Amino acid sequence: MNVSARIDAVYAQVLRRNPGETEFHQAVGEVLHTLAPVLRAHPDYVDTRIVERLCEPERQIIFRVPWVDDRGEVHVNRGFRVEFSSALGPYKGGLRFHPSVNLGIVKFLGFEQIFKNALTGLAIGGGKGGADFDPKGRSTGEVMRFCQSFMTELYRHLGEHTDVPAGDIGVGSREIGYLFGQYKRVTNRYEAGVLTGKGVSWGGSHARTEATGYGTVYFVQEMLTARGLHLDGRRVVVSGSGNVALYAIEKIHALGGHVVACSDSSGYLVDERGIDVTLLKEIKEVRRERISAYAEARPTASFSARGSVFDVPCDIALPCATQNELDEQSAIALVKNSVVAVAEGANMPCTPAAINVLREAGVLFGPGKAANAGGVATSALEMRQNASRHQWTFQQTETQLADVMRNIHAQCRATAEAYDAPENYVLGANATGFLRAAEAMDAQGLV
Ligand code: NDP
Ligand code: 2IT
């Protein structure tokens, strides 16, 4: 069987074995699609079924999460942790609390995490978890009780050398605090390295909160520089207004760019004077309100409940909200408005058709596995600080984050060129991540 036929067979098996998990199919399809030249150069990886093994999680955990709301009513949610690959280190990846969470979503995220984490060059395997819990409108007490119940089951699967969760959609430093407190209580251990994204006063790393958004902007800067372009004075559109989006906006402004629009799940806002990050943080992180409150507070801003934030003309677009938010139609609109670069702050925010449109138009495209790897890389730096019971300064940590992003960019570029596909960062990221994980799997035997 030739390599292409083998890849087709692996994909067909993934579809058969994981019915209805459309996001997982999409994530696997995208990676397999780029691996043919890599496998032709490494026929031994075909013989030892490395790709088949990577598509099958090492372990999948699904559990009941019962909790009581403020009125005394009982709720039952479903919790997940998919431990995908421990080839390069303990399972590592965030927890997502959102009503849309299901096994297929967690598997797509866990699968991508293998390659992203490998790309950082740090010793972390891939995993992901979460629950179909909706934190919107819930009191702090309800969120705490949910986190405690979630951890009461999950703790037995975790450990600083086993599986190390962090945040993702709906899970920020507040939730990590409650999860850590419950882990500590049920295990009677102050095991700082079991979770990342902790508060900086109790084992967290400086710059972890900022890392994903900042890292995405560093990646964009590297792509632009490689083409002889720069960020200064560029119009930028960012989707979302959560952790990743907020710090992407902050860093774009610090480097001379001009962010004119952002969004949340209720719609998008345009502020030609430039998004005021302090106000946006106050509304989204402290008051936990909708972005329309921003438009009410700033006369220069307007809010729209309909349409897409990517219809706003820009030089650079950073999708930083959720999967499949930037579709073919949005990509066509961006190209029509002469977009220069698109980088994925979120995981899989661009549909395959959108990526085709962008790449065919010559737009610089930074895939999430590379462009948003700064968050998990800084989590690995947090684990390193926890292991040595030491804390670096903000600047020391940010310098290392910038180095990691520069290296990721250089490696993606070099790999793409080696496979005769210059500027193809999708191939560069997938092939580099795959080769790192594959080499370790090969050395560790059939496990
Ligand atoms: P947050 O929960 O902090 O923010 C999510 C943002 O996206 C909010 O503005 C939210 O709007 C919006 N959003 C979420 N789901 C939807 C949806 N279904 N439709 C429209 N808008 C939506 O999450 P993060 O910023 O942490 O995560 C954003 C993305 O980045 C995710 O894809 C995540 O996997 C990825 N990522 C996160 C990392 C991290 O370190 N946190 C690291 C790498 C990637 P609303 O407020 O209305 O819900
Ligand atoms: O998608 C991601 O990389 C994250 N949500 C961060 C994972 C982590 O372990 O820091």
Side-chain angles (χ1 to χ4, degrees):
M1 198 187 273
N2 70 24
V3 165
S4 298
R6 175 60 75 78
I7 287 175
D8 290 345
V10 173
Y11 188 57
Q13 189 186 38
V14 167
L15 297 185
R16 244 192 340 267
R17 208 178 242 174
N18 306 279
E21 297 177 1
T22 49
E23 290 84 2
F24 180 51
H25 302 164
Q26 182 183 335
V28 171
E30 189 247 293
V31 169
L32 292 186
H33 190 66
T34 59
L35 287 185
V38 184
L39 292 173
R40 267 184 221 113
H42 295 272
D44 45 323
Y45 292 161
V46 178
D47 296 338
T48 52
R49 302 283 199 271
I50 296 277
V51 182
E52 284 91 324
R53 284 194 267 155
L54 277 172
C55 291
E56 186 62 23
E58 289 178 16
R59 193 173 298 106
Q60 307 183 49
I61 301 147
I62 304 182
F63 52 99
R64 178 167 68 201
V65 190
W67 59 282
V68 182
D69 71 19
D70 288 346
R71 295 180 314 172
E73 234 173 82
V74 174
H75 297 258
V76 181
N77 282 96
R78 182 171 283 184
F80 302 89
R81 186 73 182 166
V82 175
E83 298 180 333
F84 235 109
S85 169
S86 60
L88 291 169
Y91 308 108
K92 184 82 195 89
L95 297 171
R96 177 177 291 191
F97 291 169
H98 193 271
S100 64
V101 167
N102 58 39
L103 185 59
I105 299 261
V106 178
K107 275 160 75 175
F108 116 64
L109 291 163
F111 182 75
E112 297 226 312
Q113 205 83 44
I114 307 172
F115 304 92
K116 183 200 302 190
N117 294 4
L119 202 47
T120 66
L122 300 163
I124 39 179
K128 201 85 185 190
D132 58 358
F133 170 70
D134 188 356
K136 278 206 183 68
R138 290 292 169 198
S139 69
T140 304
E142 290 173 325
V143 169
M144 181 179 75
R145 288 196 294 281
F146 179 81
C147 289
Q148 290 176 337
S149 180
F150 184 85
M151 186 53 92
T152 301
E153 169 57 32
L154 188 64
Y155 87 94
R156 70 191 82 245
H157 307 288
L158 306 183
E160 62 183 345
H161 301 297
T162 308
D163 186 348
V164 182
D168 194 82
I169 291 176
V171 178
S173 58
R174 175 181 67 168
E175 290 73 20
I176 294 295
Y178 298 147
L179 291 164
F180 184 74
Q182 187 70 357
Y183 183 85
K184 188 163 62 73
R185 189 177 192 196
V186 294
T187 60
N188 191 29
R189 275 200 306 270
Y190 201 105
E191 192 185 332
V194 74
L195 286 166
T196 59
K198 299 179 294 296
V200 289
S201 61
W202 49 276
S205 173
H206 285 292
R208 174 62 189 91
T209 305
E210 296 82 358
T212 311
Y214 280 18
T216 300
V217 176
Y218 289 137
F219 193 85
V220 170
Q221 207 179 20
E222 292 295 314
M223 289 200 299
L224 291 173
T225 304
R227 255 201 203 174
L229 304 171
H230 50 83
L231 198 57
D232 207 27
R234 296 282 187 181
R235 265 176 82 87
V236 183
V237 161
V238 175
S239 68
S241 48
N243 173 265
V244 180
L246 285 169
Y247 293 96
I249 297 171
E250 187 170 280
K251 189 49 96 179
I252 290 276
H253 285 163
L255 295 175
H258 190 62
V259 182
V260 293
C262 67
S263 65
D264 69 9
S265 59
S266 67
Y268 70 92
L269 71 87
V270 178
D271 186 350
E272 288 291 343
R273 256 178 60 197
I275 300 288
D276 177 340
V277 191
T278 311
L279 175 62
L280 191 61
K281 274 187 197 164
E282 164 72 21
I283 288 168
K284 294 297 295 189
E285 286 190 324
V286 182
R287 284 152 54 185
R288 296 183 189 269
E289 288 178 2
R290 321 303 298 148
I291 47 165
S292 50
Y294 178 105
E296 283 155 24
R298 286 258 288 190
T300 50
S302 62
F303 171 76
S304 174
R306 246 164 297 153
S308 164
V309 70
F310 300 112
D311 291 336
V312 179
C314 62
D315 304 310
I316 296 165
L318 305 179
C320 295
T322 194
Q323 63 275 358
N324 292 327
E325 56 168 319
L326 197 165
D327 60 9
E328 186 174 20
Q329 208 185 334
S330 294
I332 291 169
L334 286 168
V335 168
K336 215 180 265 169
N337 288 323
S338 309
V339 72
V340 174
V342 175
E344 297 184 319
N347 288 309
M348 208 168 77
C350 298
T351 65
I355 297 172
N356 276 343
V357 169
L358 296 170
R359 291 203 20 82
E360 271 169 27
V363 175
L364 285 166
F365 177 72
K369 293 184 203 88
N372 72 41
V376 76
T378 308
S379 279
L381 301 178
E382 183 171 329
M383 290 162 72
R384 194 175 283 178
Q385 292 169 79
N386 293 150
S388 62
R389 297 181 177 277
H390 187 62
Q391 190 176 46
W392 304 326
T393 63
F394 191 96
Q395 207 185 339
Q396 284 172 316
T397 320
E398 200 191 355
T399 302
Q400 294 194 56
L401 164 65
D403 282 348
V404 170
M405 297 314 294
R406 228 183 337 267
N407 282 336
I408 290 176
H409 175 268
Q411 282 160 12
C412 290
R413 235 183 132 78
T415 306
E417 273 162 24
Y419 286 101
D420 217 12
E423 280 198 340
N424 186 342
Y425 290 97
V426 176
L427 176 92
N430 291 346
T432 308
F434 170 77
L435 286 170
R436 285 225 176 104
E439 191 185 336
M441 289 169 78
D442 204 37
Q444 292 168 19
L446 192 57
V447 291

